[in-house]
Amino acid sequence: MKIRTGRRTVEISRPGKVLFPTGPADAAGPAGEDRTDDAALTKADLAEYYRKAARRMLPHLRGRPLMLERCPDGTGGECFMQKGVPGHFPGWVHRAELAKEDGTVTHVVCDDTATLVYLAGQACITPHRWLSRADRPDCPDRLVVDLDPPGASPGDFTAVREAALLLRELLDELRLPSMVMTTGSRGLHVLVPLDRRAPFDDVRAFARDLADVLAARNPAGLTTEPRKAARKGRLYLDVQRNAYAQTAVAPYAVRARPGAPVATPLSWDEVGDPELTAGRWTLTTIGSRLGHDPWQDGGAAPRGRSLGPARRRLDALRARA
């Protein structure tokens, strides 16, 4: 199978290889056809989805080192995370060599549709992106708070939706813009665009203090306690991803989970929907949303902000607490 994207033709080997043993029934397939059975999803389905989603995904991927979640035998087999670029990847796939604790590692950088389709052909189901770009790897342009349902199972998503809305209110108070997305896994990510001036240490310290203030305002439902046994049913405000070389799932990425759920950008109005879940949209049902991006359409996306003024406002709130 060959997929033409721009000036390149990407060959997908074993396109019929099943990656998801079953897909949701009665959903629209990646090419727009109706699916009336509980059909398996193949490597060809994944590659075609990423070809169509590239217009929405690439602004969130360009220039960023990636960690690849690969499932060569499908989601029913062994999946693994891969940081370094395999030796057989073609030369036209962009790379970035970055420092790690004991040396360097060369990451894939997805700057075009051909690369995204090629990764699908390599059974990379989910690209996870750095919060910084390769040209300034120590200074993120995203702050992220990960909100998962309390407890071991997803259960009631109400606590996640309410926590996201409370976090947005606090960020508004600090005059910071915010965006929200489903993770396609268990919860929501709330993101703040930054101007890439502050290093990770400062961003992580800010995120911790932000979470502390929010938890102090809502002690019955929210916590910053990392130990599960000490959370006592409260939702954990997870800011641990705000560090060098940590990653977060890319918007519109398919997750290596049953049903092929997709990490999906939301409008803040959608967070109020009681039917919302982390896996609300899947590879076979997200097609119509690719025509409208709540982060981009209807106006410019929020520009990256400096943490300086927000830090002063946050410190004032902490002093009054």
Side-chain angles (χ1 to χ4, degrees), residues 27-46:
E33 73 276 8
D34 290 336
R35 302 180 72 100
T36 57
D37 60 350
D38 204 26
L41 297 172
T42 67
K43 191 187 290 187
D45 291 317
L46 183 70

Side-chain angles (χ1 to χ4, degrees), residues 50-68:
Y50 277 134
R51 183 187 70 80
K52 291 193 170 188
R55 178 171 66 97
R56 295 302 187 187
M57 288 189 72
L58 288 174
H60 306 295
L61 296 177
R62 286 192 181 101
R64 296 181 188 277
L66 298 182
M67 180 169 66
L68 312 178

Side-chain angles (χ1 to χ4, degrees), residues 114-143:
T115 299
L116 193 56
V117 171
Y118 179 81
L119 292 178
Q122 297 298 305
C124 171
I125 292 178
T126 312
H128 299 262
R129 62 177 187 161
W130 280 37
L131 300 178
S132 59
R133 298 179 185 272
D135 61 340
R136 296 185 69 182
D138 297 309
C139 296
D141 65 355
R142 292 288 184 271
L143 179 155

Side-chain angles (χ1 to χ4, degrees), residues 68-84:
L68 312 178
E69 186 172 1
R70 299 178 64 192
C71 302
D73 295 317
T75 57
E78 181 181 357
C79 298
F80 60 92
M81 298 290 190
Q82 184 164 26
K83 294 182 180 180

Side-chain angles (χ1 to χ4, degrees), residues 40 121 148 198 266 296 320:
D148 285 339
L266 303 171
Q296 297 283 344
R320 293 198 298 267

Side-chain angles (χ1 to χ4, degrees), residues 148-153 186 223-236 238:
D148 285 339
S153 62
R186 298 187 66 234
T223 182
T224 57
E225 177 55 63
R227 296 174 300 154
K228 291 183 179 180
R231 295 176 191 170
K232 299 179 180 179
R234 295 170 295 174
L235 185 144
Y236 174 50
D238 185 357

Side-chain angles (χ1 to χ4, degrees), residues 2-304:
K2 295 182 179 180
I3 295 179
R4 181 74 179 177
T5 66
R7 294 178 299 170
R8 300 195 185 280
T9 299
V10 180
E11 184 166 358
I12 306 297
S13 64
R14 302 174 67 198
K17 174 67 180 178
V18 172
L19 297 182
F20 296 88
T22 58
D26 301 319
E33 73 276 8
D34 290 336
R35 302 180 72 100
T36 57
D37 60 350
D38 204 26
L41 297 172
T42 67
K43 191 187 290 187
D45 291 317
L46 183 70
E48 181 62 17
Y49 165 73
Y50 277 134
R51 183 187 70 80
K52 291 193 170 188
R55 178 171 66 97
R56 295 302 187 187
M57 288 189 72
L58 288 174
H60 306 295
L61 296 177
R62 286 192 181 101
R64 296 181 188 277
L66 298 182
M67 180 169 66
L68 312 178
E69 186 172 1
R70 299 178 64 192
C71 302
D73 295 317
T75 57
E78 181 181 357
C79 298
F80 60 92
M81 298 290 190
Q82 184 164 26
K83 294 182 180 180
V85 180
H88 67 274
F89 273 34
W92 52 262
V93 172
H94 294 175
R95 296 154 164 84
E97 184 177 1
L98 298 170
K100 63 175 183 176
E101 187 174 353
D102 56 352
T104 64
V105 61
T106 300
H107 294 264
V108 168
V109 177
C110 183
D111 288 332
D112 53 34
T113 303
T115 299
L116 193 56
V117 171
Y118 179 81
L119 292 178
Q122 297 298 305
C124 171
I125 292 178
T126 312
H128 299 262
R129 62 177 187 161
W130 280 37
L131 300 178
S132 59
R133 298 179 185 272
D135 61 340
R136 296 185 69 182
D138 297 309
C139 296
D141 65 355
R142 292 288 184 271
L143 179 155
V144 62
V145 182
D146 189 8
L147 305 173
D148 285 339
S153 62
D156 186 1
F157 207 69
T158 301
V160 178
R161 296 189 300 104
E162 290 177 347
L165 292 170
L166 288 170
L167 178 54
R168 185 201 185 191
E169 288 179 6
L170 177 55
L171 290 168
D172 285 348
E173 195 174 341
L174 299 173
R175 301 179 197 172
L176 286 175
S178 58
M179 303 176 293
V180 62
M181 61 181 280
T182 69
T183 63
S185 178
R186 298 187 66 234
L188 298 175
H189 281 174
V190 175
L191 302 105
V192 177
L194 304 175
D195 63 3
R196 302 209 299 167
R197 294 182 181 178
F200 267 111
D201 286 348
D202 291 352
V203 173
R204 190 172 192 180
F206 179 90
R208 285 173 172 164
D209 290 344
L210 177 75
D212 285 341
V213 169
L214 190 61
R217 288 182 171 185
N218 304 274
L222 303 177
T223 182
T224 57
E225 177 55 63
R227 296 174 300 154
K228 291 183 179 180
R231 295 176 191 170
K232 299 179 180 179
R234 295 170 295 174
L235 185 144
Y236 174 50
L237 300 169
D238 185 357
V239 299
Q240 299 305 312
R241 297 176 188 272
N242 297 287
Y244 178 85
Q246 295 296 306
T247 61
V249 65
Y252 298 103
V254 180
R255 302 307 302 267
R257 298 172 66 88
V262 174
T264 306
L266 303 171
S267 70
W268 277 108
D269 286 344
E270 289 177 298
V271 179
D273 182 355
E275 299 299 317
L276 180 67
T277 64
R280 174 78 171 271
W281 291 277
T282 71
L283 184 151
T284 55
T285 65
I286 196 172
S288 61
R289 287 188 71 92
L290 296 179
H292 169 70
D293 187 323
W295 291 0
Q296 297 283 344
D297 297 345
R303 63 178 178 82

